Amino acid sequence: MSNSEHPALYDLTLEQLTTLLASWGLPTYRARQIWEWLYKHFAGGFDEMTTLPGSLRERLAAETTLAIGDVVLSQKSSDGQTKKILFRLPDGQLIETVLMRYEKRRTLCISTQAGCAMGCVFCATGQMGFKRNLTVAEIVGQVMYFARELAAEGQHVTNIVLMGMGEPLHNYDNTLAAIDRLTDPSGMNLGARKITISTVGLIPAIRRYADEQRQTPLAVSLHAATDEERSRLLPVNRRWPLADLMEACRYYVEKTGRRMTFEWALIAGENDTEEQAHKLGQLLRGMLGHVNLIPLNPTAGYGGRPSSPEQVGRFQEVLTSYGITSTVRVRRGIDIQAGCGQLRDRHLVESGDFKGTKPAPK
Ligand code: SAH
Ligand code: SF4
């Protein structure tokens, strides 16, 4: 449930909404009407729900909440294709959501936690530490915000990546409940395959997810192909080392028949060497997998630099020699700090609250 005393509407299943309305002495069809205002028309306020009697709209406004928080910053990239929103939640936590327009795609990058407990050294969210899990309403509400904005332009959300702030599988139940909501055929009805969950590699959760046989694809943030290097970048690797992680990934591929995507943030002189590329090639050989290469987004708390395009090309060539497909992800919206956690940093810098430090590069 939400942090405020009133139920957050986006937290409720249709059944729970029906129960709430029944407790107000109202028939089932009213719940269905509200549901459609929420998930088919993306209403931004109760006054928009014009098929409801005024008294019901008033009661909803008085006793439930719709908006997940206040928008404290909204920024567009210089080419206008990327837009980033910073929400302040009722308890003051700041979370980010990004809309990326690319050809016909309208992809949202959404957050699942305020902060993150995993501490990946290059990640702005990791650098701030864990604050709390987001509620179902707070995850769903980010999508509804942009769905509403796009609808006003006659467009719609086509894809969602769970690559904003937080580790989705560390907030397993709320994340999966939010995906169920977004894919519900009686509501928004987004295709389950259009959503991607990205995980740092929480092994028991990957296995649990594989067992659930869901349609929503999983991506694993690998970033290094040896335990030594990976533990340096991703502290979580000390708990869940590479060999076990790869076994869990193979289990996922076997169970679901889906290919596994691996994320690799290329950091100059760190994990972008041909040696690392060969190690990665050996690690993934013969597996149904694909590698997404992302030149590092520099962050306030980490001194590493993105790899040069030439080095990215060499890295990719080595992977190709192992028969491994890869894509270089273009960093969109770089001028608005569209990397996860980065807009929050900037907001805090500008308001004088930023406590981050920048260690000297190794
Ligand atoms: N916690 C999940 C999902 C959120 S992070 C995960 O780690 O997978 C989404 C992706 O952005 C991850 O692959 C993460 O490693 C990557 N990432 C984080 N900070 C980055 C940065 N500064 N530059 C490039 N990629 C970054
Ligand atoms: Fe958390 Fe992902 Fe950032 Fe690592 S990269 S700190 S898991 S959000």
Side-chain angles (χ1 to χ4, degrees):
M1 295 299 260
S2 94
N3 294 309
S4 77
E5 306 141 36
H6 297 142
L9 284 183
Y10 294 135
D11 256 339
L12 306 180
T13 59
L14 179 55
E15 202 185 339
Q16 289 167 328
L17 182 62
T18 307
T19 306
L20 176 71
L21 284 235
S23 76
W24 294 356
L26 294 170
T28 304
Y29 80 91
R30 289 292 183 205
R32 170 78 60 173
Q33 278 179 317
I34 297 171
W35 190 257
E36 291 185 354
W37 280 113
L38 295 176
Y39 298 114
K40 284 191 187 292
H41 312 300
F42 313 118
F46 299 109
D47 49 347
E48 292 171 31
M49 302 184 178
T50 47
T51 54
L52 306 181
S55 58
L56 176 53
R57 279 187 263 160
E58 275 165 32
R59 184 153 190 194
L60 285 168
E63 298 184 28
T64 68
T65 58
L66 186 54
I68 58 167
D70 301 324
V71 174
V72 290
L73 258 183
S74 160
Q75 273 190 316
K76 262 194 181 165
S77 59
S78 45
D79 63 4
Q81 296 303 95
T82 301
K83 183 171 176 185
K84 185 158 183 166
I85 294 286
L86 189 66
F87 290 101
R88 187 190 288 114
L89 304 178
D91 64 345
Q93 294 302 334
L94 299 168
I95 58 159
E96 303 178 6
T97 311
V98 185
L99 164 67
M100 292 164 285
R101 298 168 195 256
Y102 180 66
E103 293 175 351
K104 288 198 168 143
R105 285 195 189 189
R106 298 292 176 265
T107 303
L108 291 185
C109 179
I110 64 171
S111 297
T112 55
Q113 297 181 314
C116 183
M118 303 301 148
C120 306
V121 297
F122 50 77
C123 170
T125 309
Q127 289 155 18
M128 78 180 71
F130 179 69
K131 308 295 182 189
R132 69 170 172 84
N133 280 330
L134 297 189
T135 62
V136 176
E138 288 164 342
I139 301 171
V140 169
Q142 296 170 64
V143 177
M144 295 307 134
Y145 178 90
F146 277 110
R148 182 177 311 134
E149 195 168 288
L150 287 169
E153 301 169 29
Q155 301 182 10
H156 61 274
V157 176
T158 62
N159 301 73
I160 296 178
V161 294
L162 277 59
M163 295 189 187
M165 298 164 79
E167 165 53 43
L169 297 189
H170 190 214
N171 184 15
Y172 195 98
D173 292 339
N174 289 353
T175 296
L176 276 289
I179 291 175
D180 287 340
R181 183 71 43 77
L182 299 168
T183 55
D184 186 331
S186 76
M188 190 178 180
N189 196 20
L190 194 72
R193 289 189 182 84
K194 302 291 186 184
I195 304 176
T196 300
I197 301 176
S198 176
T199 177
V200 72
L202 304 183
I203 293 174
I206 293 174
R207 291 184 173 272
R208 176 177 168 192
Y209 188 73
D211 287 337
E212 287 181 20
Q213 303 261 359
R214 285 167 172 269
Q215 305 280 320
T216 297
L218 194 61
V220 168
S221 296
L222 208 53
H223 305 309
T226 61
D227 279 319
E228 192 200 348
E229 173 70 6
R230 195 163 188 271
S231 295
R232 194 155 66 199
L233 297 174
L234 283 58
V236 73
N237 190 69
R238 293 177 205 141
R239 173 110 189 256
W240 311 116
L242 264 178
D244 299 345
L245 175 59
M246 294 316 296
E247 210 179 288
C249 293
R250 286 178 203 279
Y251 180 76
Y252 169 85
V253 172
E254 237 171 66
K255 271 266 162 175
T256 63
R258 290 179 187 287
R259 112 187 153 161
M260 183 70 115
T261 301
F262 296 97
E263 310 282 323
W264 193 284
L266 284 159
I267 311 168
E270 180 76 54
N271 65 354
D272 69 343
T273 59
E274 287 178 44
E275 190 196 345
Q276 278 285 328
H278 281 288
K279 293 229 160 88
L280 175 58
Q282 286 151 15
L283 202 64
L284 302 188
R285 200 162 22 197
M287 184 176 173
L288 194 56
H290 181 84
V291 179
N292 271 336
L293 300 167
I294 320 124
L296 181 80
N297 247 315
T299 53
Y302 180 65
R305 312 297 313 162
S307 307
S308 67
E310 298 73 38
Q311 194 60 28
V312 176
R314 280 194 284 272
F315 197 92
Q316 209 172 11
E317 266 172 38
V318 174
L319 293 184
T320 307
S321 74
Y322 286 85
I324 295 164
T325 59
S326 60
T327 313
V328 181
R329 257 214 257 138
V330 187
R331 285 178 296 158
R332 285 177 215 295
I334 197 74
D335 55 330
I336 56 162
Q337 283 89 19
C340 76
Q342 295 184 294
L343 190 66
R344 173 187 174 278
D345 276 3
R346 202 179 125 185
H347 174 69
L348 294 181
V349 168
E350 284 165 3
S351 54
D353 290 336
F354 188 66
K355 309 261 182 335
T357 52
K358 188 178 181 121
K362 280 187 289 191

